[in-house]
Amino acid sequence: MNVVDSHSHLYCDAFDADRAQTVKRAQEAGVIHVVLPNENRASLPLLHDMKRQFPGFVSLSIGLHPEEIHDDYQQELNILRAELENNRQDYVAVGEVGIDLYWDKTFRTEQMDALEQQLNWCLQYSLPFIIHCRDAMDEIVEVMEKFRDTSLHGVFHSFTGTPADVARLRQIGDFYFGVNGIVTFKKSSVKEILPHVGLERLLVETDSPYLAPVPHRGKRNESAFVVEVVKFVAKEMVLETDVVAHATTQNAKNLFGLKV
Ligand SMILES: [Zn+2]
């Protein structure tokens, strides 16, 4: 099986002790490429280290994570934007961006403003977005509406919305949806979106080190486990595992322009 892990934080300190072995296990499991979403200014050098260490195996994204948005967010955005302007060729996406009101609603307005600014980078630099949305579907839709009838495209990663949410977003644009270990959790309703999203717009990911799929639930997640997501999705959609792996790999290549 050849599969792309479209969202992993492989650069974070959870992998400091065994990063090379983690990459090796991923490759042995059939993972041919990993997309690394950025979190803030501090994580950018870590992403670039990954590219030096594993050339051809990882692609980088640039953006300010919604949980990283505080009083100084405009300054952070200016720095990230300058980096994108100067090194456009280093990036395959703007992300992860979005809105997260699960823990804290303090910066709701700022999160919406930061998302709008970063979606404008997508248009300006011809890059797809990687959106993180948690407890914020109305806010996301409100911002996205401003981009109706533009060329804006991208993926709603770790998507946990309903089929109605998929339909709502599709009124705005033809987007991709990423599923991870959550889809394998017994009480999760994420599997219900699969027939609505369809194989043509589905991406698989780990979001490692978080959200390990069954049967590794509760452990540190890693890219090799994306195979469990593929297997689960295949079973749910009554398809061969290789068909899901192939389709989601093609989707990742098309969306991010990966040369793998
Ligand atoms: Zn993430």
PDB file of all heavy atoms in Angstrom, residues 100-124:
ATOM      1  N   ASP A 100     -10.838  27.578  16.695  1.00  0.00           N
ATOM      2  CA  ASP A 100     -11.022  26.578  17.747  1.00  0.00           C
ATOM      3  C   ASP A 100     -11.589  27.269  18.976  1.00  0.00           C
ATOM      4  O   ASP A 100     -10.898  28.046  19.621  1.00  0.00           O
ATOM      5  CB  ASP A 100      -9.678  25.909  18.075  1.00  0.00           C
ATOM      6  CG  ASP A 100      -9.864  24.696  18.974  1.00  0.00           C
ATOM      7  OD1 ASP A 100     -10.775  24.731  19.842  1.00  0.00           O
ATOM      8  OD2 ASP A 100      -9.104  23.724  18.822  1.00  0.00           O
ATOM      9  N   LEU A 101     -12.855  27.005  19.262  1.00  0.00           N
ATOM     10  CA  LEU A 101     -13.503  27.652  20.413  1.00  0.00           C
ATOM     11  C   LEU A 101     -13.818  26.630  21.503  1.00  0.00           C
ATOM     12  O   LEU A 101     -14.648  26.860  22.378  1.00  0.00           O
ATOM     13  CB  LEU A 101     -14.784  28.372  19.948  1.00  0.00           C
ATOM     14  CG  LEU A 101     -14.573  29.419  18.845  1.00  0.00           C
ATOM     15  CD1 LEU A 101     -15.904  29.997  18.370  1.00  0.00           C
ATOM     16  CD2 LEU A 101     -13.645  30.532  19.314  1.00  0.00           C
ATOM     17  N   TYR A 102     -13.145  25.505  21.454  1.00  0.00           N
ATOM     18  CA  TYR A 102     -13.426  24.414  22.393  1.00  0.00           C
ATOM     19  C   TYR A 102     -13.020  24.762  23.820  1.00  0.00           C
ATOM     20  O   TYR A 102     -13.801  24.623  24.746  1.00  0.00           O
ATOM     21  CB  TYR A 102     -12.704  23.153  21.920  1.00  0.00           C
ATOM     22  CG  TYR A 102     -12.933  21.934  22.771  1.00  0.00           C
ATOM     23  CD1 TYR A 102     -14.159  21.250  22.724  1.00  0.00           C
ATOM     24  CD2 TYR A 102     -11.938  21.448  23.610  1.00  0.00           C
ATOM     25  CE1 TYR A 102     -14.366  20.118  23.496  1.00  0.00           C
ATOM     26  CE2 TYR A 102     -12.151  20.316  24.386  1.00  0.00           C
ATOM     27  CZ  TYR A 102     -13.359  19.658  24.324  1.00  0.00           C
ATOM     28  OH  TYR A 102     -13.562  18.540  25.091  1.00  0.00           O
ATOM     29  N   TRP A 103     -11.789  25.220  24.000  1.00  0.00           N
ATOM     30  CA  TRP A 103     -11.298  25.538  25.342  1.00  0.00           C
ATOM     31  C   TRP A 103     -11.569  26.982  25.724  1.00  0.00           C
ATOM     32  O   TRP A 103     -11.754  27.307  26.881  1.00  0.00           O
ATOM     33  CB  TRP A 103      -9.782  25.302  25.425  1.00  0.00           C
ATOM     34  CG  TRP A 103      -9.372  23.889  25.241  1.00  0.00           C
ATOM     35  CD1 TRP A 103      -8.690  23.357  24.172  1.00  0.00           C
ATOM     36  CD2 TRP A 103      -9.591  22.783  26.140  1.00  0.00           C
ATOM     37  NE1 TRP A 103      -8.486  22.023  24.349  1.00  0.00           N
ATOM     38  CE2 TRP A 103      -9.030  21.633  25.545  1.00  0.00           C
ATOM     39  CE3 TRP A 103     -10.227  22.664  27.377  1.00  0.00           C
ATOM     40  CZ2 TRP A 103      -9.071  20.380  26.154  1.00  0.00           C
ATOM     41  CZ3 TRP A 103     -10.263  21.407  27.978  1.00  0.00           C
ATOM     42  CH2 TRP A 103      -9.700  20.295  27.377  1.00  0.00           C
ATOM     43  N   ASP A 104     -11.531  27.868  24.733  1.00  0.00           N
ATOM     44  CA  ASP A 104     -11.447  29.290  25.039  1.00  0.00           C
ATOM     45  C   ASP A 104     -12.039  30.113  23.890  1.00  0.00           C
ATOM     46  O   ASP A 104     -11.638  29.947  22.739  1.00  0.00           O
ATOM     47  CB  ASP A 104      -9.945  29.624  25.202  1.00  0.00           C
ATOM     48  CG  ASP A 104      -9.728  31.012  25.763  1.00  0.00           C
ATOM     49  OD1 ASP A 104     -10.722  31.727  26.006  1.00  0.00           O
ATOM     50  OD2 ASP A 104      -8.561  31.385  25.946  1.00  0.00           O
ATOM     51  N   LYS A 105     -12.987  30.993  24.248  1.00  0.00           N
ATOM     52  CA  LYS A 105     -13.613  31.829  23.211  1.00  0.00           C
ATOM     53  C   LYS A 105     -13.087  33.266  23.243  1.00  0.00           C
ATOM     54  O   LYS A 105     -13.558  34.131  22.506  1.00  0.00           O
ATOM     55  CB  LYS A 105     -15.135  31.845  23.389  1.00  0.00           C
ATOM     56  CG  LYS A 105     -15.782  30.483  23.153  1.00  0.00           C
ATOM     57  CD  LYS A 105     -17.304  30.573  23.304  1.00  0.00           C
ATOM     58  CE  LYS A 105     -18.000  29.263  22.986  1.00  0.00           C
ATOM     59  NZ  LYS A 105     -17.593  28.120  23.823  1.00  0.00           N
ATOM     60  N   THR A 106     -12.088  33.525  24.087  1.00  0.00           N
ATOM     61  CA  THR A 106     -11.583  34.886  24.296  1.00  0.00           C
ATOM     62  C   THR A 106     -11.220  35.579  22.992  1.00  0.00           C
ATOM     63  O   THR A 106     -11.534  36.738  22.789  1.00  0.00           O
ATOM     64  CB  THR A 106     -10.327  34.861  25.204  1.00  0.00           C
ATOM     65  OG1 THR A 106     -10.587  34.012  26.313  1.00  0.00           O
ATOM     66  CG2 THR A 106      -9.955  36.249  25.682  1.00  0.00           C
ATOM     67  N   PHE A 107     -10.520  34.840  22.116  1.00  0.00           N
ATOM     68  CA  PHE A 107      -9.999  35.466  20.898  1.00  0.00           C
ATOM     69  C   PHE A 107     -10.817  35.093  19.658  1.00  0.00           C
ATOM     70  O   PHE A 107     -10.284  34.985  18.559  1.00  0.00           O
ATOM     71  CB  PHE A 107      -8.517  35.103  20.716  1.00  0.00           C
ATOM     72  CG  PHE A 107      -7.638  35.701  21.774  1.00  0.00           C
ATOM     73  CD1 PHE A 107      -7.173  34.934  22.838  1.00  0.00           C
ATOM     74  CD2 PHE A 107      -7.295  37.056  21.732  1.00  0.00           C
ATOM     75  CE1 PHE A 107      -6.371  35.488  23.835  1.00  0.00           C
ATOM     76  CE2 PHE A 107      -6.501  37.616  22.721  1.00  0.00           C
ATOM     77  CZ  PHE A 107      -6.035  36.831  23.774  1.00  0.00           C
ATOM     78  N   ARG A 108     -12.112  34.920  19.876  1.00  0.00           N
ATOM     79  CA  ARG A 108     -12.993  34.532  18.767  1.00  0.00           C
ATOM     80  C   ARG A 108     -12.854  35.482  17.571  1.00  0.00           C
ATOM     81  O   ARG A 108     -12.639  35.046  16.434  1.00  0.00           O
ATOM     82  CB  ARG A 108     -14.436  34.495  19.268  1.00  0.00           C
ATOM     83  CG  ARG A 108     -15.459  34.143  18.210  1.00  0.00           C
ATOM     84  CD  ARG A 108     -16.870  34.165  18.817  1.00  0.00           C
ATOM     85  NE  ARG A 108     -17.880  33.944  17.797  1.00  0.00           N
ATOM     86  CZ  ARG A 108     -18.389  34.923  17.038  1.00  0.00           C
ATOM     87  NH1 ARG A 108     -17.959  36.174  17.173  1.00  0.00           N
ATOM     88  NH2 ARG A 108     -19.310  34.641  16.126  1.00  0.00           N
ATOM     89  N   THR A 109     -12.976  36.773  17.809  1.00  0.00           N
ATOM     90  CA  THR A 109     -12.898  37.765  16.729  1.00  0.00           C
ATOM     91  C   THR A 109     -11.525  37.751  16.071  1.00  0.00           C
ATOM     92  O   THR A 109     -11.416  37.810  14.836  1.00  0.00           O
ATOM     93  CB  THR A 109     -13.170  39.184  17.292  1.00  0.00           C
ATOM     94  OG1 THR A 109     -14.336  39.107  18.108  1.00  0.00           O
ATOM     95  CG2 THR A 109     -13.393  40.180  16.185  1.00  0.00           C
ATOM     96  N   GLU A 110     -10.481  37.660  16.908  1.00  0.00           N
ATOM     97  CA  GLU A 110      -9.115  37.640  16.382  1.00  0.00           C
ATOM     98  C   GLU A 110      -8.878  36.380  15.552  1.00  0.00           C
ATOM     99  O   GLU A 110      -8.222  36.420  14.513  1.00  0.00           O
ATOM    100  CB  GLU A 110      -8.105  37.712  17.537  1.00  0.00           C
ATOM    101  CG  GLU A 110      -8.066  39.055  18.259  1.00  0.00           C
ATOM    102  CD  GLU A 110      -9.184  39.240  19.292  1.00  0.00           C
ATOM    103  OE1 GLU A 110     -10.041  38.335  19.432  1.00  0.00           O
ATOM    104  OE2 GLU A 110      -9.196  40.297  19.953  1.00  0.00           O
ATOM    105  N   GLN A 111      -9.414  35.252  16.014  1.00  0.00           N
ATOM    106  CA  GLN A 111      -9.269  34.003  15.249  1.00  0.00           C
ATOM    107  C   GLN A 111      -9.936  34.136  13.881  1.00  0.00           C
ATOM    108  O   GLN A 111      -9.402  33.676  12.862  1.00  0.00           O
ATOM    109  CB  GLN A 111      -9.884  32.820  16.014  1.00  0.00           C
ATOM    110  CG  GLN A 111      -9.067  32.352  17.212  1.00  0.00           C
ATOM    111  CD  GLN A 111      -9.547  31.005  17.751  1.00  0.00           C
ATOM    112  OE1 GLN A 111      -9.996  30.144  16.998  1.00  0.00           O
ATOM    113  NE2 GLN A 111      -9.456  30.819  19.053  1.00  0.00           N
ATOM    114  N   MET A 112     -11.090  34.771  13.854  1.00  0.00           N
ATOM    115  CA  MET A 112     -11.789  34.951  12.575  1.00  0.00           C
ATOM    116  C   MET A 112     -11.004  35.875  11.653  1.00  0.00           C
ATOM    117  O   MET A 112     -10.877  35.613  10.451  1.00  0.00           O
ATOM    118  CB  MET A 112     -13.209  35.492  12.816  1.00  0.00           C
ATOM    119  CG  MET A 112     -14.112  34.461  13.472  1.00  0.00           C
ATOM    120  SD  MET A 112     -15.738  35.097  13.946  1.00  0.00           S
ATOM    121  CE  MET A 112     -16.556  35.141  12.340  1.00  0.00           C
ATOM    122  N   ASP A 113     -10.449  36.923  12.212  1.00  0.00           N
ATOM    123  CA  ASP A 113      -9.653  37.858  11.414  1.00  0.00           C
ATOM    124  C   ASP A 113      -8.385  37.176  10.889  1.00  0.00           C
ATOM    125  O   ASP A 113      -8.031  37.328   9.711  1.00  0.00           O
ATOM    126  CB  ASP A 113      -9.285  39.085  12.256  1.00  0.00           C
ATOM    127  CG  ASP A 113      -8.422  40.060  11.484  1.00  0.00           C
ATOM    128  OD1 ASP A 113      -8.793  40.393  10.346  1.00  0.00           O
ATOM    129  OD2 ASP A 113      -7.362  40.472  11.998  1.00  0.00           O
ATOM    130  N   ALA A 114      -7.713  36.410  11.749  1.00  0.00           N
ATOM    131  CA  ALA A 114      -6.487  35.717  11.335  1.00  0.00           C
ATOM    132  C   ALA A 114      -6.791  34.712  10.224  1.00  0.00           C
ATOM    133  O   ALA A 114      -6.018  34.562   9.267  1.00  0.00           O
ATOM    134  CB  ALA A 114      -5.853  35.010  12.531  1.00  0.00           C
ATOM    135  N   LEU A 115      -7.921  34.034  10.346  1.00  0.00           N
ATOM    136  CA  LEU A 115      -8.294  33.076   9.299  1.00  0.00           C
ATOM    137  C   LEU A 115      -8.506  33.798   7.975  1.00  0.00           C
ATOM    138  O   LEU A 115      -7.989  33.376   6.934  1.00  0.00           O
ATOM    139  CB  LEU A 115      -9.561  32.311   9.707  1.00  0.00           C
ATOM    140  CG  LEU A 115     -10.106  31.356   8.643  1.00  0.00           C
ATOM    141  CD1 LEU A 115      -9.090  30.274   8.283  1.00  0.00           C
ATOM    142  CD2 LEU A 115     -11.415  30.709   9.106  1.00  0.00           C
ATOM    143  N   GLU A 116      -9.227  34.905   8.020  1.00  0.00           N
ATOM    144  CA  GLU A 116      -9.494  35.642   6.779  1.00  0.00           C
ATOM    145  C   GLU A 116      -8.189  36.116   6.130  1.00  0.00           C
ATOM    146  O   GLU A 116      -7.998  35.969   4.915  1.00  0.00           O
ATOM    147  CB  GLU A 116     -10.419  36.826   7.059  1.00  0.00           C
ATOM    148  CG  GLU A 116     -10.814  37.543   5.787  1.00  0.00           C
ATOM    149  CD  GLU A 116     -11.803  38.678   6.018  1.00  0.00           C
ATOM    150  OE1 GLU A 116     -12.417  38.734   7.100  1.00  0.00           O
ATOM    151  OE2 GLU A 116     -11.943  39.507   5.104  1.00  0.00           O
ATOM    152  N   GLN A 117      -7.304  36.652   6.939  1.00  0.00           N
ATOM    153  CA  GLN A 117      -6.023  37.110   6.392  1.00  0.00           C
ATOM    154  C   GLN A 117      -5.252  35.958   5.737  1.00  0.00           C
ATOM    155  O   GLN A 117      -4.702  36.105   4.649  1.00  0.00           O
ATOM    156  CB  GLN A 117      -5.146  37.700   7.506  1.00  0.00           C
ATOM    157  CG  GLN A 117      -5.641  39.028   8.050  1.00  0.00           C
ATOM    158  CD  GLN A 117      -4.612  39.647   8.987  1.00  0.00           C
ATOM    159  OE1 GLN A 117      -3.420  39.706   8.662  1.00  0.00           O
ATOM    160  NE2 GLN A 117      -5.046  40.097  10.146  1.00  0.00           N
ATOM    161  N   GLN A 118      -5.237  34.819   6.428  1.00  0.00           N
ATOM    162  CA  GLN A 118      -4.443  33.699   5.911  1.00  0.00           C
ATOM    163  C   GLN A 118      -5.103  33.046   4.694  1.00  0.00           C
ATOM    164  O   GLN A 118      -4.419  32.518   3.820  1.00  0.00           O
ATOM    165  CB  GLN A 118      -4.154  32.695   7.036  1.00  0.00           C
ATOM    166  CG  GLN A 118      -3.235  33.316   8.105  1.00  0.00           C
ATOM    167  CD  GLN A 118      -2.954  32.374   9.259  1.00  0.00           C
ATOM    168  OE1 GLN A 118      -1.955  31.667   9.274  1.00  0.00           O
ATOM    169  NE2 GLN A 118      -3.859  32.347  10.227  1.00  0.00           N
ATOM    170  N   LEU A 119      -6.424  33.106   4.619  1.00  0.00           N
ATOM    171  CA  LEU A 119      -7.082  32.594   3.408  1.00  0.00           C
ATOM    172  C   LEU A 119      -6.764  33.506   2.223  1.00  0.00           C
ATOM    173  O   LEU A 119      -6.667  33.042   1.082  1.00  0.00           O
ATOM    174  CB  LEU A 119      -8.590  32.463   3.625  1.00  0.00           C
ATOM    175  CG  LEU A 119      -9.020  31.375   4.624  1.00  0.00           C
ATOM    176  CD1 LEU A 119     -10.538  31.343   4.770  1.00  0.00           C
ATOM    177  CD2 LEU A 119      -8.490  29.989   4.242  1.00  0.00           C
ATOM    178  N   ASN A 120      -6.552  34.780   2.511  1.00  0.00           N
ATOM    179  CA  ASN A 120      -6.116  35.681   1.436  1.00  0.00           C
ATOM    180  C   ASN A 120      -4.708  35.324   0.935  1.00  0.00           C
ATOM    181  O   ASN A 120      -4.418  35.481  -0.246  1.00  0.00           O
ATOM    182  CB  ASN A 120      -6.175  37.136   1.902  1.00  0.00           C
ATOM    183  CG  ASN A 120      -7.554  37.730   1.689  1.00  0.00           C
ATOM    184  OD1 ASN A 120      -8.143  37.596   0.612  1.00  0.00           O
ATOM    185  ND2 ASN A 120      -8.095  38.368   2.711  1.00  0.00           N
ATOM    186  N   TRP A 121      -3.851  34.826   1.842  1.00  0.00           N
ATOM    187  CA  TRP A 121      -2.525  34.360   1.402  1.00  0.00           C
ATOM    188  C   TRP A 121      -2.696  33.219   0.393  1.00  0.00           C
ATOM    189  O   TRP A 121      -1.947  33.116  -0.566  1.00  0.00           O
ATOM    190  CB  TRP A 121      -1.690  33.826   2.568  1.00  0.00           C
ATOM    191  CG  TRP A 121      -1.395  34.781   3.674  1.00  0.00           C
ATOM    192  CD1 TRP A 121      -1.722  36.116   3.736  1.00  0.00           C
ATOM    193  CD2 TRP A 121      -0.716  34.466   4.898  1.00  0.00           C
ATOM    194  NE1 TRP A 121      -1.279  36.636   4.931  1.00  0.00           N
ATOM    195  CE2 TRP A 121      -0.666  35.662   5.666  1.00  0.00           C
ATOM    196  CE3 TRP A 121      -0.153  33.305   5.430  1.00  0.00           C
ATOM    197  CZ2 TRP A 121      -0.067  35.714   6.919  1.00  0.00           C
ATOM    198  CZ3 TRP A 121       0.443  33.347   6.672  1.00  0.00           C
ATOM    199  CH2 TRP A 121       0.487  34.544   7.414  1.00  0.00           C
ATOM    200  N   CYS A 122      -3.675  32.347   0.671  1.00  0.00           N
ATOM    201  CA  CYS A 122      -3.932  31.212  -0.239  1.00  0.00           C
ATOM    202  C   CYS A 122      -4.161  31.711  -1.662  1.00  0.00           C
ATOM    203  O   CYS A 122      -3.614  31.168  -2.615  1.00  0.00           O
ATOM    204  CB  CYS A 122      -5.142  30.417   0.210  1.00  0.00           C
ATOM    205  SG  CYS A 122      -4.915  29.518   1.741  1.00  0.00           S
ATOM    206  N   LEU A 123      -4.982  32.750  -1.776  1.00  0.00           N
ATOM    207  CA  LEU A 123      -5.294  33.287  -3.106  1.00  0.00           C
ATOM    208  C   LEU A 123      -4.068  33.970  -3.696  1.00  0.00           C
ATOM    209  O   LEU A 123      -3.736  33.769  -4.868  1.00  0.00           O
ATOM    210  CB  LEU A 123      -6.462  34.279  -3.023  1.00  0.00           C
ATOM    211  CG  LEU A 123      -7.795  33.703  -2.548  1.00  0.00           C
ATOM    212  CD1 LEU A 123      -8.868  34.783  -2.570  1.00  0.00           C
ATOM    213  CD2 LEU A 123      -8.212  32.503  -3.395  1.00  0.00           C
ATOM    214  N   GLN A 124      -3.391  34.749  -2.860  1.00  0.00           N
ATOM    215  CA  GLN A 124      -2.254  35.513  -3.345  1.00  0.00           C
ATOM    216  C   GLN A 124      -1.102  34.624  -3.802  1.00  0.00           C
ATOM    217  O   GLN A 124      -0.429  34.928  -4.786  1.00  0.00           O
ATOM    218  CB  GLN A 124      -1.784  36.448  -2.230  1.00  0.00           C
ATOM    219  CG  GLN A 124      -0.762  37.437  -2.701  1.00  0.00           C
ATOM    220  CD  GLN A 124      -0.350  38.386  -1.582  1.00  0.00           C
ATOM    221  OE1 GLN A 124      -0.949  38.391  -0.498  1.00  0.00           O
ATOM    222  NE2 GLN A 124       0.663  39.180  -1.842  1.00  0.00           N
TER     223      GLN A 124
END
